[in-house]
Amino acid sequence: MPVDIVTKIEEARYELEQLANLLTQLGQKEQAGELLQLFQVGRGQAVRVVVVGGFNQGKSTLVDALLGAKVLPIALVPTTAVLTLVVSALPEGATLYFSDKRPPLEVPLEKVSDYLALNPEGKLNLPLRLVEVRFLWREGPGELELYDTPGFNDLPEQAEAAREAIQKADLLIFMLDARQPLTEQEEFIWQSWGMQFGAKPLFLLNFLNLLDEDDREKVSERVRSSLPERLGLKDEVDLLVIDALKALRGQLRNNPEEVTESGLPELREKLEYYANEGKNQLFKISRIGRLQQFFAGVYTQNRASLTEAEDKLQVWREKQLRQNTARQQSERAASVFGNVEAFQRHSLTEFEYKLLAELEQAVERWPLPELKTQVEGLTGQRMREWLAFFEREANKMLVPVAPTAAKPLKFVPPNVPAYSYKYVPPPPPPGPDPNTFESPFDFLGNAVREIGQFATNVAGNLFEAGPDPQTIQRERIIAHSRLAAFVRETVVRLEKPILEGLKTARPAYVPKLSQPEIIPPTLESEVKLRRELDALLSKLAINLAG
């Protein structure tokens, strides 16, 4: 047994409301409202039959013929100016619904045509939105609602009322004039509204009786054969010939023969079929068809928007990845640069200690007159050696984080500071007084003493001994005392170009980065919602199609 379509739609209520909620969150409120309206229409039990056509096509005449009474206005000029709903119910009467805030108004049936007809100015006397007529015109099972629409070649607002009725129709009775069947406007209306809203079409060919009897069958067959191609119909065309005016007259005169000749019984039979055993199949075409059409449109739109949002999100993620990579590289380079700076401090401290120790030993070995020159020369050599060593080691440490365009570190050796020690030889011992007479013995003694002093001086120079051991010891103590300050100044001079060079090179190795940009939360949320929407649309389409 086939599943009842209304039950199936009702069972999908949670998913449909969830879908409407997703559309609302994505800013597609109009589509959310359209979906909820489709759901409300889809869960109704009554079959909605909508009669459409141009003005003076016999729509209201046909509805009156079905009712068996003159209820709706009929004239040779546009009359029905508002959507009219006819339900088979008691008590008989009509309810007027207004487009403004005034409450509904109950009127007797004989007054309905007064409210539906246009005044001489082509306007309604009251701002009506809908007229609901209650008249017991059928007693069979199954609910059926019959809508009479304004002609779609009337005023724009009346054409819009017809469009809204077609949008909710299950069965669309399309009135054609046999004298001019399927005009360009009628073709446009079907392709724009009928095909879009998915109602099953039932074409009624009216006014065939006004043609020559010989032409009637030809015209009927020509219309039947041309409809599929011109309207893009895939299923077999459902076409009935009707004489609406004759049907109404036969009903009013209680003339069964005239009613039978008018084609009204065939139409009633169709309506009763769709109100009962054909109802489920009709609802599948109209209500499920409209929902599936809605799903397809939203799905196509959502896929395009999802692809665009995912592309944007991917661009953001790649950008963020580049930023994170750059930040990691920068942090790594900063760490390596910090190691270089720490190595510089440690190495320079060690250099200071070793240089001072080496000079301490040298002061003990070198002759005092040459001490200043020797100390400054050795210090300059050690400075150049250490600077070359540090330059080489620092560049090796920076190789893993060196940018392509970065130049290797290069340091210029500074000038050697002046060693403040200066050797001052002691004054010579005083010689003999020329004014004093010198005896031969004195002369001999002086000569012997001078020879001894010369030998002492030669020995002192040979063994780096000063003229006086105490004086020499004192001089070396002075030279030692000035080494620490000399070495400290040497280190300061070495450190200055190192610090300046590292400071200059740091931006090339450790670029200053701005704060990483955060992916817009709305973009991530949109992608998440659109993926949920995509999955839910597929689920609903499958469930309702089964």
Side-chain angles (χ1 to χ4, degrees):
M1 182 178 179
V3 179
D4 180 67
I5 295 299
V6 174
T7 302
K8 181 181 286 189
I9 293 175
E10 190 66 47
E11 289 174 350
R13 177 173 186 164
Y14 174 75
E15 286 82 4
L16 290 170
E17 289 177 347
Q18 189 180 5
L19 180 60
N21 183 47
L22 285 173
L23 290 170
T24 302
Q25 291 183 66
L26 287 166
Q28 298 168 224
K29 295 182 179 179
E30 186 174 340
Q31 287 180 318
E34 182 182 348
L35 175 61
L36 292 176
Q37 186 182 48
L38 286 173
F39 171 65
Q40 292 300 329
V41 171
R43 58 199 294 229
Q45 289 291 344
V47 174
R48 292 180 176 86
V49 180
V50 177
V51 183
V52 296
F55 81 87
N56 204 24
Q57 294 278 53
K59 299 186 302 299
S60 298
T61 304
L62 175 68
V63 174
D64 279 348
L66 287 169
L67 300 181
K70 291 186 67 174
V71 177
L72 306 183
I74 302 171
L76 295 178
V77 294
T79 49
T80 305
V82 68
L83 185 65
T84 305
L85 165 62
V86 179
V87 293
S88 183
L90 293 174
E92 294 181 354
T95 305
L96 309 182
Y97 296 92
F98 299 92
S99 56
D100 54 19
K101 295 182 179 179
R102 71 184 73 188
L105 177 64
E106 295 291 332
V107 297
L109 277 182
E110 57 269 19
K111 295 292 184 181
V112 169
S113 59
D114 296 340
Y115 290 98
L116 290 176
L118 297 173
N119 58 30
E121 297 178 358
K123 297 181 180 180
L124 289 167
N125 294 319
L126 293 174
L128 291 174
R129 176 176 59 84
L130 174 71
V131 174
E132 180 182 312
V133 174
R134 295 178 302 279
F135 188 85
L136 192 62
W137 62 281
R138 56 183 295 271
E139 297 179 355
E143 298 179 53
L144 195 147
E145 295 177 350
L146 187 61
Y147 289 85
D148 184 25
T149 62
F152 42 65
N153 48 4
D154 289 349
L155 298 176
E157 57 270 22
Q158 296 165 14
E160 178 61 21
R163 189 193 73 84
E164 290 180 2
I166 295 173
Q167 190 174 1
K168 301 175 183 179
D170 296 309
L171 181 65
L172 189 63
I173 296 179
F174 207 108
M175 299 291 292
L176 299 175
D177 189 337
R179 296 166 297 182
Q180 192 181 5
L182 204 59
T183 62
E184 289 184 2
Q185 186 185 35
E186 290 170 338
E187 186 175 344
F188 173 78
I189 290 298
W190 169 254
Q191 292 176 346
S192 301
W193 296 352
M195 291 182 66
Q196 178 183 354
F197 300 131
K200 178 175 177 54
L202 172 60
F203 296 95
L204 296 188
L205 189 60
N206 197 18
F207 303 122
L208 192 64
N209 60 298
L210 300 181
L211 302 180
D212 291 339
E213 191 170 348
D214 296 337
D215 295 333
R216 293 174 187 176
E217 187 173 348
K218 294 178 183 179
V219 170
S220 176
E221 286 303 317
R222 186 169 64 247
V223 172
R224 186 184 300 276
S225 61
S226 65
L227 282 175
E229 181 180 353
R230 293 188 62 181
L231 300 184
L233 300 174
K234 297 180 180 179
D235 299 328
E236 183 180 352
V237 175
D238 208 351
L239 175 68
L240 296 179
V241 175
I242 191 79
D243 186 342
L245 185 58
K246 190 174 185 178
L248 176 60
R249 288 173 180 170
Q251 291 280 72
L252 296 177
R253 296 171 182 171
N254 197 18
N255 187 339
E257 183 179 351
E258 200 171 12
V259 172
T260 301
E261 292 175 355
S262 70
L264 186 63
E266 288 83 352
L267 176 59
R268 279 186 173 276
E269 185 180 346
K270 284 278 186 183
L271 294 179
E272 291 302 321
Y273 169 77
Y274 286 124
N276 294 281
E277 59 266 28
K279 175 180 176 180
N280 214 44
Q281 186 62 29
L282 183 65
F283 282 178
K284 186 174 183 179
I285 294 171
S286 60
R287 301 185 184 187
I288 297 297
R290 273 194 293 267
L291 283 169
Q292 296 284 23
Q293 190 174 16
F294 175 84
F295 297 155
V298 174
Y299 180 82
T300 301
Q301 178 187 347
N302 185 64
R303 289 301 303 177
S305 299
L306 177 58
T307 301
E308 182 181 354
E310 286 177 332
D311 289 344
K312 289 181 180 178
L313 184 60
Q314 182 63 27
V315 169
W316 269 99
R317 284 176 174 166
E318 289 174 356
K319 182 178 181 181
Q320 199 173 59
L321 180 62
R322 289 193 299 270
Q323 290 176 337
N324 291 336
T325 302
R327 181 158 296 280
Q328 290 172 0
Q329 291 174 344
S330 177
E331 290 172 354
R332 184 184 175 198
S335 175
V336 172
F337 225 83
N339 293 339
V340 170
E341 291 169 340
F343 173 71
Q344 170 258 322
R345 291 190 296 270
H346 171 76
S347 179
L348 206 53
T349 300
E350 189 176 0
F351 168 78
E352 181 177 5
Y353 170 78
K354 288 183 176 181
L355 179 62
L356 182 59
E358 187 175 12
L359 292 179
E360 290 280 5
Q361 294 177 6
V363 165
E364 293 296 329
R365 295 196 313 268
W366 289 335
L368 291 174
E370 302 172 10
L371 193 58
K372 175 179 174 62
T373 303
Q374 293 287 353
V375 167
E376 290 177 353
L378 179 60
T379 300
Q381 180 182 346
R382 295 293 183 259
M383 288 173 70
R384 289 187 294 274
E385 290 173 354
W386 180 86
L387 202 58
F389 161 76
F390 176 75
E391 189 177 277
R392 181 177 65 253
E393 294 301 315
N395 282 315
K396 283 168 60 177
M397 294 172 69
L398 290 172
V399 164
V401 295
T404 306
K407 296 180 180 179
L409 298 177
K410 192 73 178 175
F411 303 105
V412 179
N415 295 328
V416 181
Y419 183 41
S420 62
Y421 172 75
K422 185 177 181 181
Y423 172 67
V424 179
D433 188 352
N435 297 322
T436 304
F437 174 78
E438 186 178 74
S439 69
F441 298 104
D442 291 336
F443 174 77
L444 182 61
N446 288 335
V448 172
R449 281 192 297 273
E450 287 178 2
I451 291 171
Q453 183 63 47
F454 175 76
T456 302
N457 288 341
V458 170
N461 288 332
L462 288 174
F463 298 103
E464 299 183 12
D468 181 355
Q470 292 183 351
T471 301
I472 291 173
Q473 185 64 27
R474 185 179 65 251
E475 286 295 322
R476 292 195 187 281
I477 291 172
I478 294 172
H480 276 295
S481 68
R482 295 177 180 176
L483 279 177
F486 171 74
V487 171
R488 178 94 288 273
E489 187 178 353
T490 299
V491 170
V492 170
R493 289 199 179 192
L494 262 180
E495 191 174 33
K496 185 176 181 182
I498 295 293
L499 295 178
E500 290 178 353
L502 291 177
K503 183 179 179 181
T504 302
R506 188 181 186 91
Y509 287 86
V510 189
K512 193 174 183 180
L513 301 176
S514 58
Q515 287 295 325
E517 297 182 70
I518 301 174
I519 297 176
T522 52
L523 183 58
E524 289 188 314
S525 174
E526 181 186 358
V527 170
K528 178 177 177 292
L529 291 173
R530 290 204 178 279
R531 285 173 178 169
E532 291 179 12
L533 182 64
D534 189 81
L536 188 56
L537 283 168
S538 300
K539 179 182 177 182
L540 277 167
I542 293 171
N543 290 346
L544 290 177

